[in-house]
Amino acid sequence: KNYIDAIAIGAYFHACWSRTTKAECADTTKVPKTLTEVTSVDEIFAALDNANDPYGLPALQKQIAAQAGVAKSFGKALLAYEGGQHLTINWTDGSIDTTRKDNLLNLFRAVNRDTRMGERYTTLLNAWKDNGGQQFMLYTLPQSYHKYGTFGIKESLLQPRGEAPKYDAAMKFQDTQ
């Protein structure tokens, strides 16, 4: 306790990958679609926003509040060593074929290019600030999208801000601080 300056967390949101990911993911009433079952960008946003999904944005907001409480109880700062969306393909999952995984990859790319993803980043950063979080490292710098993720806040250094909703949201948030 005397040698720790802060508590740092990874602050990522996504959704249940499959019905076997976690017990809560098996309940089709609470989790209508897992990522292996979605067929549209809208369905992915619905999964990300599902209050019953243990990996969704509402669950992350609760986790941030809980971690902030722990940090505060010890008089320490709350930091995010990295965070943001974490829509990735489980390439080792043999229950779905490569074509389906490629289709999901294209959907994940479309979700990250959608202005609604910028809105999710604004929600995340506001939850962070509202809970007293300090430094938040959004993962990652400009990075082209590849089969292992669409993590880049921009897809390239030269991508215009208006075409990078995650970057635009982060800059708007930063401008208000």
Side-chain angles (χ1 to χ4, degrees):
K1 176 180 171 181
N2 296 329
Y3 302 103
I4 297 172
D5 296 330
I7 295 174
I9 65 171
Y12 285 103
F13 64 93
H14 49 100
C16 292
W17 171 251
S18 70
R19 296 284 169 206
T20 60
T21 307
K22 196 171 190 174
E24 295 95 321
C25 300
D27 187 334
T28 57
T29 302
K30 290 184 176 182
V31 179
K33 292 207 176 189
T34 65
L35 292 177
T36 58
E37 298 165 341
V38 298
T39 58
S40 71
V41 167
D42 290 341
E43 289 177 348
I44 294 173
F45 279 112
L48 295 175
D49 295 340
N50 181 354
N52 295 310
D53 192 302
Y55 303 106
L57 184 54
L60 177 57
Q61 289 173 279
K62 289 177 187 174
Q63 178 189 358
I64 289 168
Q67 293 295 327
V70 171
K72 185 176 181 179
S73 73
F74 287 100
K76 304 300 177 186
L78 179 64
L79 311 175
Y81 64 87
E82 60 185 41
Q85 65 77 37
H86 200 277
L87 292 171
T88 58
I89 304 295
N90 180 352
W91 293 101
T92 63
D93 183 346
S95 67
I96 58 174
D97 64 32
T98 303
T99 301
R100 175 69 181 131
K101 290 176 185 173
D102 287 339
N103 289 338
L104 283 172
L105 185 60
N106 288 329
L107 284 173
F108 292 172
R109 289 173 177 165
V111 165
N112 276 278
R113 292 175 177 136
D114 193 293
T115 57
R116 292 174 288 179
M117 183 55 79
E119 295 165 6
R120 299 325 179 268
Y121 270 54
T122 298
T123 298
L124 170 60
L125 294 170
N126 281 328
W128 185 256
K129 179 183 175 187
D130 293 347
N131 282 284
Q134 294 182 18
Q135 186 171 359
F136 191 114
M137 300 294 294
L138 288 169
Y139 187 82
T140 180
L141 297 173
Q143 180 185 67
S144 60
Y145 293 167
H146 49 74
K147 77 180 263 184
Y148 298 108
T150 51
F151 297 113
I153 197 158
K154 292 173 72 175
E155 293 180 59
S156 73
L157 286 172
L158 300 177
Q159 184 180 20
R161 181 171 168 170
E163 295 175 15
K166 295 183 289 188
Y167 177 74
D168 185 49
M171 293 297 96
K172 284 178 181 173
F173 178 82
Q174 182 174 304
D175 289 345
T176 65
Q177 303 310 303

